[in-house]
Amino acid sequence: AQSVTQLDSHVSVSEGTPVLLRCNYSSSYSPSLFWYVQHPNKGLQLLLKYTSAATLVKGINGFEAEFKKSETSFHLTKPSAHMSDAAEYFCVVGNTDKLIFGTGTRLQVFP
Amino acid sequence: EAGVTQFPSHSVIEKGQTVTLRCDPISGHDNLYWYRRVMGKEIKFLLHFVKESKQDESGMPNNRFLAERTGGTYSTLKVQPAELEDSGVYFCASSQSGQGILFYNSPLHFGNGTRLTVT
């Protein structure tokens, strides 16, 4: 069975500092992994996806994630946080025609 | 291009009542999914339509939930009778047609969700 674990339910950073949101996955075969973001009262938006083409995946708004098979990780990073990055972030693994979500990490950005 | 639209945005009902949620996918999208997030838990898959047919309804929690997609356009999700544990946010998503692992080349577009509160 496939699953993802988001290691932090809340992360707080200051504006301009790096962001790291951690995700570990479990899969018996090569997974397809995604990061989604949900801003307040908005729908889920795809940030980036990994589908085995390249281990370092660049997404929108300056986010990127690195697939590390040896560590079964797919952490999301951004060099410099912006106030508009405050939202909830979901690590997701794809299972044929459905998505399996992590429990979410709420990112707070302080001025 | 209009996005995925869900109605209502919020619904508050009493236990035992019936509620119907509606989802209008992006025009031309054959795939339509329902997901939900109950309080404090992860977002979970409910079911998947391809056009008007139910492709996978393995995530539907019980027979109080009925999803339809007549004509392969909009979809409704009816909860009857509603229970307290049905409270949460119900998301709809759509994607274009494809083969196999559909969303890898055809990303899912999510609606803003319907927040359902059962009191």
CSV table of all heavy atoms in Angstrom, one decimal, chain A residues 28-90:
chain,number,residue,atom,x,y,z
A,28,SER,N,5.6,0.5,-2.8
A,28,SER,CA,6.3,-0.8,-3.2
A,28,SER,C,6.9,-0.7,-4.6
A,28,SER,O,7.6,-1.6,-5.0
A,28,SER,CB,5.3,-2.0,-3.1
A,28,SER,OG,4.2,-1.7,-3.8
A,29,TYR,N,6.6,0.4,-5.3
A,29,TYR,CA,7.1,0.6,-6.6
A,29,TYR,C,7.4,2.1,-6.8
A,29,TYR,O,7.1,2.9,-5.9
A,29,TYR,CB,6.2,0.1,-7.7
A,29,TYR,CG,4.7,0.5,-7.5
A,29,TYR,CD1,4.3,1.7,-8.1
A,29,TYR,CD2,3.8,-0.3,-6.8
A,29,TYR,CE1,3.0,2.0,-7.9
A,29,TYR,CE2,2.5,0.0,-6.7
A,29,TYR,CZ,2.1,1.2,-7.2
A,29,TYR,OH,0.8,1.6,-7.1
A,30,SER,N,8.0,2.4,-7.9
A,30,SER,CA,8.3,3.8,-8.1
A,30,SER,C,7.1,4.7,-8.1
A,30,SER,O,6.2,4.6,-8.9
A,30,SER,CB,9.0,4.0,-9.5
A,30,SER,OG,9.5,5.3,-9.7
A,31,PRO,N,7.1,5.6,-7.1
A,31,PRO,CA,5.9,6.4,-6.9
A,31,PRO,C,5.8,7.6,-7.8
A,31,PRO,O,6.8,8.1,-8.3
A,31,PRO,CB,6.0,6.8,-5.5
A,31,PRO,CG,7.5,7.0,-5.3
A,31,PRO,CD,8.1,5.9,-6.2
A,32,SER,N,4.6,8.1,-8.0
A,32,SER,CA,4.4,9.5,-8.5
A,32,SER,C,4.0,10.4,-7.3
A,32,SER,O,3.1,10.0,-6.6
A,32,SER,CB,3.3,9.5,-9.6
A,32,SER,OG,3.8,8.9,-10.7
A,33,LEU,N,4.7,11.4,-7.1
A,33,LEU,CA,4.6,12.3,-5.9
A,33,LEU,C,4.2,13.7,-6.3
A,33,LEU,O,4.7,14.2,-7.3
A,33,LEU,CB,5.8,12.2,-5.1
A,33,LEU,CG,6.2,10.9,-4.5
A,33,LEU,CD1,7.6,10.8,-4.0
A,33,LEU,CD2,5.3,10.6,-3.3
A,34,PHE,N,3.5,14.3,-5.5
A,34,PHE,CA,3.0,15.7,-5.8
A,34,PHE,C,3.1,16.5,-4.5
A,34,PHE,O,3.0,16.0,-3.4
A,34,PHE,CB,1.5,15.7,-6.2
A,34,PHE,CG,1.2,14.7,-7.4
A,34,PHE,CD1,1.1,13.4,-7.1
A,34,PHE,CD2,1.0,15.2,-8.6
A,34,PHE,CE1,0.8,12.5,-8.2
A,34,PHE,CE2,0.7,14.4,-9.7
A,34,PHE,CZ,0.6,13.0,-9.5
A,35,TRP,N,3.1,17.8,-4.6
A,35,TRP,CA,2.8,18.7,-3.6
A,35,TRP,C,1.7,19.6,-4.0
A,35,TRP,O,1.8,20.2,-5.2
A,35,TRP,CB,4.1,19.6,-3.2
A,35,TRP,CG,5.0,18.9,-2.3
A,35,TRP,CD1,6.1,18.2,-2.6
A,35,TRP,CD2,4.9,18.9,-0.8
A,35,TRP,NE1,6.8,17.8,-1.4
A,35,TRP,CE2,6.0,18.2,-0.4
A,35,TRP,CE3,4.0,19.4,0.1
A,35,TRP,CZ2,6.3,18.0,1.0
A,35,TRP,CZ3,4.3,19.2,1.4
A,35,TRP,CH2,5.4,18.5,1.9
A,36,TYR,N,0.7,19.8,-3.2
A,36,TYR,CA,-0.4,20.7,-3.4
A,36,TYR,C,-0.4,21.7,-2.3
A,36,TYR,O,0.0,21.5,-1.2
A,36,TYR,CB,-1.8,19.9,-3.4
A,36,TYR,CG,-2.1,19.2,-4.7
A,36,TYR,CD1,-1.6,18.0,-5.0
A,36,TYR,CD2,-3.0,19.8,-5.6
A,36,TYR,CE1,-2.0,17.3,-6.2
A,36,TYR,CE2,-3.4,19.2,-6.8
A,36,TYR,CZ,-2.8,18.0,-7.1
A,36,TYR,OH,-3.2,17.3,-8.2
A,37,VAL,N,-1.0,22.9,-2.6
A,37,VAL,CA,-1.1,23.9,-1.7
A,37,VAL,C,-2.6,24.4,-1.6
A,37,VAL,O,-3.3,24.4,-2.6
A,37,VAL,CB,-0.2,25.1,-2.0
A,37,VAL,CG1,-0.5,25.7,-3.3
A,37,VAL,CG2,-0.3,26.2,-0.9
A,38,GLN,N,-3.0,24.7,-0.4
A,38,GLN,CA,-4.4,25.3,-0.3
A,38,GLN,C,-4.3,26.6,0.5
A,38,GLN,O,-4.0,26.6,1.7
A,38,GLN,CB,-5.3,24.3,0.4
A,38,GLN,CG,-6.7,24.8,0.5
A,38,GLN,CD,-7.7,23.9,1.2
A,38,GLN,OE1,-7.3,23.1,2.0
A,38,GLN,NE2,-9.0,24.1,1.0
A,39,HIS,N,-4.6,27.7,-0.1
A,39,HIS,CA,-4.7,28.9,0.6
A,39,HIS,C,-6.1,29.0,1.2
A,39,HIS,O,-7.0,28.4,0.7
A,39,HIS,CB,-4.5,30.1,-0.4
A,39,HIS,CG,-3.0,30.2,-0.8
A,39,HIS,ND1,-2.5,29.6,-1.9
A,39,HIS,CD2,-2.0,30.8,-0.2
A,39,HIS,CE1,-1.2,29.8,-2.0
A,39,HIS,NE2,-0.9,30.6,-1.0
A,40,PRO,N,-6.3,29.9,2.2
A,40,PRO,CA,-7.6,29.9,2.9
A,40,PRO,C,-8.8,30.2,1.9
A,40,PRO,O,-8.7,31.0,1.0
A,40,PRO,CB,-7.4,31.1,3.8
A,40,PRO,CG,-5.9,31.2,4.1
A,40,PRO,CD,-5.3,30.7,2.8
A,41,ASN,N,-9.8,29.4,2.0
A,41,ASN,CA,-11.0,29.5,1.2
A,41,ASN,C,-10.8,29.3,-0.3
A,41,ASN,O,-11.6,29.8,-1.1
A,41,ASN,CB,-11.7,30.8,1.5
A,41,ASN,CG,-12.1,31.0,2.9
A,41,ASN,OD1,-12.6,30.1,3.6
A,41,ASN,ND2,-11.8,32.1,3.5
A,42,LYS,N,-9.7,28.6,-0.6
A,42,LYS,CA,-9.4,28.3,-2.0
A,42,LYS,C,-9.3,26.8,-2.2
A,42,LYS,O,-9.3,26.0,-1.3
A,42,LYS,CB,-8.1,29.0,-2.4
A,42,LYS,CG,-8.0,30.5,-2.3
A,42,LYS,CD,-8.8,31.1,-3.4
A,42,LYS,CE,-8.7,32.6,-3.3
A,42,LYS,NZ,-9.5,33.3,-4.4
A,43,GLY,N,-9.3,26.5,-3.5
A,43,GLY,CA,-9.1,25.0,-3.8
A,43,GLY,C,-7.7,24.6,-3.7
A,43,GLY,O,-6.8,25.4,-3.5
A,44,LEU,N,-7.5,23.4,-3.9
A,44,LEU,CA,-6.1,22.8,-3.9
A,44,LEU,C,-5.4,23.1,-5.2
A,44,LEU,O,-6.0,22.9,-6.3
A,44,LEU,CB,-6.2,21.3,-3.7
A,44,LEU,CG,-6.7,20.9,-2.3
A,44,LEU,CD1,-7.3,19.5,-2.4
A,44,LEU,CD2,-5.5,20.9,-1.3
A,45,GLN,N,-4.2,23.6,-5.1
A,45,GLN,CA,-3.5,24.0,-6.3
A,45,GLN,C,-2.2,23.1,-6.4
A,45,GLN,O,-1.5,23.0,-5.4
A,45,GLN,CB,-3.1,25.4,-6.3
A,45,GLN,CG,-2.3,25.9,-7.5
A,45,GLN,CD,-1.9,27.4,-7.4
A,45,GLN,OE1,-1.9,28.0,-6.3
A,45,GLN,NE2,-1.6,28.0,-8.5
A,46,LEU,N,-1.9,22.6,-7.6
A,46,LEU,CA,-0.7,21.8,-7.8
A,46,LEU,C,0.5,22.7,-7.8
A,46,LEU,O,0.6,23.6,-8.6
A,46,LEU,CB,-0.8,21.0,-9.1
A,46,LEU,CG,0.4,20.1,-9.5
A,46,LEU,CD1,0.5,19.0,-8.4
A,46,LEU,CD2,0.2,19.5,-10.9
A,47,LEU,N,1.5,22.4,-6.9
A,47,LEU,CA,2.7,23.1,-6.9
A,47,LEU,C,3.8,22.4,-7.8
A,47,LEU,O,4.4,23.1,-8.5
A,47,LEU,CB,3.3,23.0,-5.4
A,47,LEU,CG,2.9,24.1,-4.4
A,47,LEU,CD1,3.6,23.9,-3.1
A,47,LEU,CD2,3.3,25.5,-5.0
A,48,LEU,N,3.9,21.1,-7.7
A,48,LEU,CA,4.8,20.4,-8.5
A,48,LEU,C,4.5,18.9,-8.5
A,48,LEU,O,3.8,18.5,-7.6
A,48,LEU,CB,6.3,20.7,-8.0
A,48,LEU,CG,6.6,20.5,-6.6
A,48,LEU,CD1,6.9,19.1,-6.2
A,48,LEU,CD2,7.8,21.4,-6.2
A,49,LYS,N,5.2,18.2,-9.4
A,49,LYS,CA,5.0,16.7,-9.4
A,49,LYS,C,6.2,16.0,-9.8
A,49,LYS,O,7.0,16.6,-10.6
A,49,LYS,CB,3.8,16.3,-10.3
A,49,LYS,CG,4.1,16.7,-11.8
A,49,LYS,CD,2.9,16.2,-12.7
A,49,LYS,CE,3.1,16.6,-14.1
A,49,LYS,NZ,1.9,16.2,-15.0
A,50,TYR,N,6.5,14.9,-9.3
A,50,TYR,CA,7.6,14.0,-9.6
A,50,TYR,C,7.1,12.8,-10.3
A,50,TYR,O,6.2,12.1,-9.7
A,50,TYR,CB,8.4,13.6,-8.4
A,50,TYR,CG,9.3,12.5,-8.6
A,50,TYR,CD1,10.5,12.7,-9.3
A,50,TYR,CD2,9.0,11.2,-8.2
A,50,TYR,CE1,11.4,11.6,-9.6
A,50,TYR,CE2,9.9,10.1,-8.5
A,50,TYR,CZ,11.0,10.3,-9.1
A,50,TYR,OH,11.9,9.3,-9.4
A,51,THR,N,7.6,12.5,-11.5
A,51,THR,CA,7.1,11.3,-12.2
A,51,THR,C,8.3,10.6,-12.8
A,51,THR,O,8.2,10.0,-13.9
A,51,THR,CB,6.1,11.6,-13.3
A,51,THR,OG1,6.7,12.6,-14.1
A,51,THR,CG2,4.8,12.2,-12.7
A,52,SER,N,9.4,10.6,-12.1
A,52,SER,CA,10.7,9.8,-12.4
A,52,SER,C,11.5,10.4,-13.5
A,52,SER,O,12.5,9.8,-13.9
A,52,SER,CB,10.3,8.3,-12.7
A,52,SER,OG,9.8,8.2,-14.0
A,53,ALA,N,11.2,11.5,-14.0
A,53,ALA,CA,12.0,12.1,-15.1
A,53,ALA,C,13.2,12.8,-14.5
A,53,ALA,O,14.3,12.6,-15.1
A,53,ALA,CB,11.2,13.1,-15.9
A,54,ALA,N,13.1,13.4,-13.4
A,54,ALA,CA,14.3,14.1,-12.8
A,54,ALA,C,14.0,14.1,-11.3
A,54,ALA,O,12.9,14.3,-10.8
A,54,ALA,CB,14.4,15.5,-13.3
A,55,THR,N,15.1,13.9,-10.5
A,55,THR,CA,14.9,13.9,-9.1
A,55,THR,C,14.6,15.2,-8.4
A,55,THR,O,14.0,15.3,-7.4
A,55,THR,CB,16.1,13.2,-8.4
A,55,THR,OG1,17.3,13.9,-8.7
A,55,THR,CG2,16.2,11.7,-8.8
A,56,LEU,N,15.1,16.3,-9.0
A,56,LEU,CA,14.9,17.6,-8.5
A,56,LEU,C,13.8,18.2,-9.4
A,56,LEU,O,14.0,18.4,-10.6
A,56,LEU,CB,16.2,18.5,-8.6
A,56,LEU,CG,16.0,19.9,-8.0
A,56,LEU,CD1,15.7,19.8,-6.5
A,56,LEU,CD2,17.3,20.6,-8.2
A,57,VAL,N,12.7,18.6,-8.7
A,57,VAL,CA,11.5,19.0,-9.5
A,57,VAL,C,11.3,20.5,-9.1
A,57,VAL,O,11.2,20.8,-7.9
A,57,VAL,CB,10.3,18.2,-9.1
A,57,VAL,CG1,9.1,18.7,-9.9
A,57,VAL,CG2,10.5,16.7,-9.3
A,58,LYS,N,11.2,21.3,-10.1
A,58,LYS,CA,10.9,22.7,-9.8
A,58,LYS,C,9.4,23.0,-10.0
A,58,LYS,O,8.8,22.4,-11.0
A,58,LYS,CB,11.7,23.6,-10.8
A,58,LYS,CG,13.2,23.6,-10.5
A,58,LYS,CD,14.0,24.6,-11.2
A,58,LYS,CE,15.5,24.4,-11.0
A,58,LYS,NZ,15.8,24.6,-9.6
A,59,GLY,N,8.8,23.7,-9.1
A,59,GLY,CA,7.4,24.0,-9.2
A,59,GLY,C,7.1,25.5,-9.4
A,59,GLY,O,8.0,26.3,-9.7
A,60,ILE,N,5.9,25.9,-9.1
A,60,ILE,CA,5.5,27.3,-9.2
A,60,ILE,C,5.9,28.0,-7.9
A,60,ILE,O,6.2,27.5,-6.9
A,60,ILE,CB,4.0,27.4,-9.4
A,60,ILE,CG1,3.2,26.8,-8.3
A,60,ILE,CG2,3.6,26.7,-10.7
A,60,ILE,CD1,1.7,27.1,-8.3
A,61,ASN,N,6.0,29.4,-8.1
A,61,ASN,CA,6.2,30.3,-7.0
A,61,ASN,C,7.6,30.0,-6.3
A,61,ASN,O,7.7,30.3,-5.1
A,61,ASN,CB,5.1,30.2,-5.9
A,61,ASN,CG,3.8,30.6,-6.5
A,61,ASN,OD1,3.7,31.3,-7.5
A,61,ASN,ND2,2.7,30.0,-6.0
A,62,GLY,N,8.5,29.5,-7.0
A,62,GLY,CA,9.9,29.3,-6.4
A,62,GLY,C,10.1,28.1,-5.6
A,62,GLY,O,11.1,27.9,-5.0
A,63,PHE,N,9.1,27.2,-5.5
A,63,PHE,CA,9.2,26.0,-4.7
A,63,PHE,C,9.9,24.9,-5.6
A,63,PHE,O,9.8,24.9,-6.8
A,63,PHE,CB,7.8,25.5,-4.3
A,63,PHE,CG,7.2,26.2,-3.1
A,63,PHE,CD1,6.4,27.3,-3.4
A,63,PHE,CD2,7.6,25.9,-1.8
A,63,PHE,CE1,5.8,28.0,-2.3
A,63,PHE,CE2,7.0,26.6,-0.8
A,63,PHE,CZ,6.2,27.7,-1.0
A,64,GLU,N,10.6,24.0,-4.9
A,64,GLU,CA,11.1,22.8,-5.5
A,64,GLU,C,11.1,21.7,-4.5
A,64,GLU,O,11.1,21.9,-3.3
A,64,GLU,CB,12.5,23.1,-6.1
A,64,GLU,CG,13.6,23.5,-5.1
A,64,GLU,CD,14.9,23.7,-5.8
A,64,GLU,OE1,14.9,24.3,-7.0
A,64,GLU,OE2,15.9,23.4,-5.2
A,65,ALA,N,11.3,20.5,-5.0
A,65,ALA,CA,11.3,19.3,-4.2
A,65,ALA,C,12.3,18.3,-4.8
A,65,ALA,O,12.4,18.2,-6.0
A,65,ALA,CB,9.9,18.7,-4.0
A,66,GLU,N,12.9,17.6,-3.9
A,66,GLU,CA,13.9,16.6,-4.3
A,66,GLU,C,13.5,15.2,-3.9
A,66,GLU,O,13.2,14.9,-2.7
A,66,GLU,CB,15.3,16.9,-3.8
A,66,GLU,CG,16.4,15.9,-4.3
A,66,GLU,CD,17.8,16.3,-4.0
A,66,GLU,OE1,17.9,17.3,-3.1
A,66,GLU,OE2,18.7,15.7,-4.5
A,67,PHE,N,13.4,14.3,-4.9
A,67,PHE,CA,13.1,12.9,-4.6
A,67,PHE,C,14.3,12.2,-4.2
A,67,PHE,O,15.3,12.1,-5.0
A,67,PHE,CB,12.5,12.3,-5.9
A,67,PHE,CG,12.2,10.8,-5.8
A,67,PHE,CD1,11.1,10.3,-5.1
A,67,PHE,CD2,13.0,9.9,-6.4
A,67,PHE,CE1,10.9,9.0,-5.0
A,67,PHE,CE2,12.8,8.5,-6.3
A,67,PHE,CZ,11.7,8.1,-5.6
A,68,LYS,N,14.3,11.6,-3.1
A,68,LYS,CA,15.5,10.8,-2.6
A,68,LYS,C,15.0,9.4,-2.2
A,68,LYS,O,14.4,9.2,-1.2
A,68,LYS,CB,16.1,11.5,-1.3
A,68,LYS,CG,16.8,12.8,-1.7
A,68,LYS,CD,17.6,13.3,-0.4
A,68,LYS,CE,18.3,14.6,-0.8
A,68,LYS,NZ,19.0,15.1,0.4
A,69,LYS,N,15.3,8.5,-3.2
A,69,LYS,CA,14.8,7.1,-3.0
A,69,LYS,C,15.4,6.5,-1.8
A,69,LYS,O,14.8,5.7,-1.0
A,69,LYS,CB,15.2,6.3,-4.2
A,69,LYS,CG,14.6,4.9,-4.2
A,69,LYS,CD,14.8,4.2,-5.6
A,69,LYS,CE,14.3,2.8,-5.5
A,69,LYS,NZ,14.5,2.1,-6.8
A,70,SER,N,16.7,6.7,-1.5
A,70,SER,CA,17.4,6.1,-0.4
A,70,SER,C,16.8,6.5,0.9
A,70,SER,O,16.9,5.8,1.9
A,70,SER,CB,18.9,6.4,-0.4
A,70,SER,OG,19.1,7.9,-0.3
A,71,GLU,N,16.2,7.7,1.0
A,71,GLU,CA,15.7,8.2,2.2
A,71,GLU,C,14.1,8.2,2.2
A,71,GLU,O,13.5,8.6,3.2
A,71,GLU,CB,16.1,9.6,2.5
A,71,GLU,CG,17.6,9.8,2.6
A,71,GLU,CD,18.1,11.2,2.8
A,71,GLU,OE1,17.2,12.1,2.9
A,71,GLU,OE2,19.3,11.5,2.7
A,72,THR,N,13.6,7.7,1.1
A,72,THR,CA,12.1,7.7,0.8
A,72,THR,C,11.5,9.0,1.2
A,72,THR,O,10.5,9.1,1.9
A,72,THR,CB,11.4,6.5,1.6
A,72,THR,OG1,11.5,6.7,3.0
A,72,THR,CG2,11.9,5.2,1.1
A,73,SER,N,12.2,10.1,0.7
A,73,SER,CA,11.7,11.4,1.1
A,73,SER,C,11.4,12.3,-0.2
A,73,SER,O,11.9,12.0,-1.2
A,73,SER,CB,12.7,12.2,1.9
A,73,SER,OG,13.9,12.5,1.2
A,74,PHE,N,10.6,13.3,0.0
A,74,PHE,CA,10.2,14.2,-1.0
A,74,PHE,C,9.9,15.5,-0.4
A,74,PHE,O,8.8,16.0,-0.4
A,74,PHE,CB,9.0,13.7,-1.8
A,74,PHE,CG,8.7,14.4,-3.1
A,74,PHE,CD1,9.6,14.5,-4.1
A,74,PHE,CD2,7.4,15.0,-3.3
A,74,PHE,CE1,9.3,15.2,-5.3
A,74,PHE,CE2,7.1,15.6,-4.4
A,74,PHE,CZ,8.0,15.8,-5.4
A,75,HIS,N,10.9,16.1,0.2
A,75,HIS,CA,10.8,17.4,0.9
A,75,HIS,C,10.6,18.6,0.0
A,75,HIS,O,11.2,18.7,-1.0
A,75,HIS,CB,12.0,17.6,1.8
A,75,HIS,CG,12.3,16.5,2.8
A,75,HIS,ND1,11.3,15.7,3.3
A,75,HIS,CD2,13.4,16.1,3.4
A,75,HIS,CE1,11.8,14.8,4.2
A,75,HIS,NE2,13.1,15.1,4.3
A,76,LEU,N,9.8,19.5,0.5
A,76,LEU,CA,9.5,20.7,-0.3
A,76,LEU,C,10.3,21.9,0.3
A,76,LEU,O,10.4,22.0,1.5
A,76,LEU,CB,8.0,21.0,-0.2
A,76,LEU,CG,7.5,22.3,-1.0
A,76,LEU,CD1,7.6,22.0,-2.5
A,76,LEU,CD2,6.1,22.6,-0.5
A,77,THR,N,11.0,22.6,-0.6
A,77,THR,CA,11.8,23.7,-0.1
A,77,THR,C,11.6,25.0,-1.0
A,77,THR,O,11.1,24.9,-2.1
A,77,THR,CB,13.3,23.4,-0.2
A,77,THR,OG1,13.7,23.1,-1.6
A,77,THR,CG2,13.7,22.2,0.6
A,78,LYS,N,11.9,26.1,-0.3
A,78,LYS,CA,11.9,27.4,-1.0
A,78,LYS,C,13.0,28.2,-0.4
A,78,LYS,O,13.1,28.3,0.8
A,78,LYS,CB,10.6,28.1,-0.9
A,78,LYS,CG,10.5,29.4,-1.7
A,78,LYS,CD,9.1,30.0,-1.7
A,78,LYS,CE,9.1,31.3,-2.5
A,78,LYS,NZ,7.7,31.9,-2.6
A,79,PRO,N,13.9,28.9,-1.2
A,79,PRO,CA,15.0,29.6,-0.6
A,79,PRO,C,14.6,30.8,0.3
A,79,PRO,O,15.3,31.0,1.3
A,79,PRO,CB,15.8,30.1,-1.8
A,79,PRO,CG,15.3,29.3,-2.9
A,79,PRO,CD,13.9,28.9,-2.6
A,80,SER,N,13.5,31.4,0.0
A,80,SER,CA,13.2,32.6,0.7
A,80,SER,C,11.6,32.8,0.8
A,80,SER,O,11.0,32.9,-0.3
A,80,SER,CB,13.7,33.9,-0.1
A,80,SER,OG,13.3,35.1,0.5
A,81,ALA,N,11.1,32.7,2.0
A,81,ALA,CA,9.7,32.7,2.2
A,81,ALA,C,9.1,34.1,1.9
A,81,ALA,O,9.7,35.1,2.3
A,81,ALA,CB,9.3,32.2,3.6
A,82,HIS,N,7.9,34.1,1.4
A,82,HIS,CA,7.1,35.3,1.2
A,82,HIS,C,5.9,35.2,2.0
A,82,HIS,O,5.3,34.1,2.2
A,82,HIS,CB,6.8,35.5,-0.3
A,82,HIS,CG,6.3,36.8,-0.7
A,82,HIS,ND1,5.0,37.1,-0.6
A,82,HIS,CD2,7.0,37.9,-1.1
A,82,HIS,CE1,4.8,38.4,-1.0
A,82,HIS,NE2,6.0,38.9,-1.3
A,83,MET,N,5.3,36.4,2.4
A,83,MET,CA,4.1,36.4,3.2
A,83,MET,C,3.0,35.6,2.5
A,83,MET,O,2.2,34.9,3.1
A,83,MET,CB,3.6,37.8,3.5
A,83,MET,CG,4.6,38.6,4.3
A,83,MET,SD,4.8,37.9,6.0
A,83,MET,CE,3.1,38.2,6.7
A,84,SER,N,2.9,35.7,1.2
A,84,SER,CA,1.9,35.0,0.4
A,84,SER,C,2.0,33.5,0.4
A,84,SER,O,1.1,32.8,-0.1
A,84,SER,CB,1.9,35.5,-1.0
A,84,SER,OG,3.1,35.3,-1.6
A,85,ASP,N,3.1,33.0,0.9
A,85,ASP,CA,3.3,31.5,1.0
A,85,ASP,C,2.5,30.9,2.2
A,85,ASP,O,2.4,29.7,2.2
A,85,ASP,CB,4.8,31.2,1.1
A,85,ASP,CG,5.6,31.5,-0.1
A,85,ASP,OD1,5.0,31.5,-1.2
A,85,ASP,OD2,6.8,31.9,0.1
A,86,ALA,N,2.0,31.7,3.0
A,86,ALA,CA,1.3,31.2,4.2
A,86,ALA,C,0.0,30.4,3.7
A,86,ALA,O,-0.8,31.0,3.0
A,86,ALA,CB,0.9,32.3,5.1
A,87,ALA,N,0.0,29.1,4.0
A,87,ALA,CA,-1.1,28.3,3.5
A,87,ALA,C,-0.9,26.9,4.1
A,87,ALA,O,0.0,26.7,4.9
A,87,ALA,CB,-1.0,28.2,1.9
A,88,GLU,N,-1.7,25.9,3.6
A,88,GLU,CA,-1.5,24.6,4.1
A,88,GLU,C,-1.0,23.8,2.8
A,88,GLU,O,-1.5,23.9,1.7
A,88,GLU,CB,-2.8,23.9,4.6
A,88,GLU,CG,-2.6,22.6,5.2
A,88,GLU,CD,-3.8,22.1,6.1
A,88,GLU,OE1,-4.9,22.7,5.9
A,88,GLU,OE2,-3.6,21.2,6.9
A,89,TYR,N,0.0,23.0,3.1
A,89,TYR,CA,0.7,22.2,2.0
A,89,TYR,C,0.5,20.7,2.2
A,89,TYR,O,0.6,20.2,3.4
A,89,TYR,CB,2.2,22.6,2.0
A,89,TYR,CG,2.4,24.0,1.6
A,89,TYR,CD1,2.3,25.0,2.5
A,89,TYR,CD2,2.8,24.3,0.3
A,89,TYR,CE1,2.5,26.4,2.1
A,89,TYR,CE2,3.1,25.6,-0.1
A,89,TYR,CZ,2.9,26.6,0.9
A,89,TYR,OH,3.1,27.9,0.5
A,90,PHE,N,0.2,20.0,1.1
A,90,PHE,CA,-0.1,18.6,1.2
A,90,PHE,C,0.9,17.8,0.3
A,90,PHE,O,1.0,18.2,-0.9
A,90,PHE,CB,-1.5,18.3,0.7
A,90,PHE,CG,-2.6,18.9,1.6
A,90,PHE,CD1,-3.1,20.2,1.3
A,90,PHE,CD2,-3.1,18.2,2.7
A,90,PHE,CE1,-4.0,20.7,2.1
A,90,PHE,CE2,-4.0,18.8,3.5
A,90,PHE,CZ,-4.5,20.0,3.2
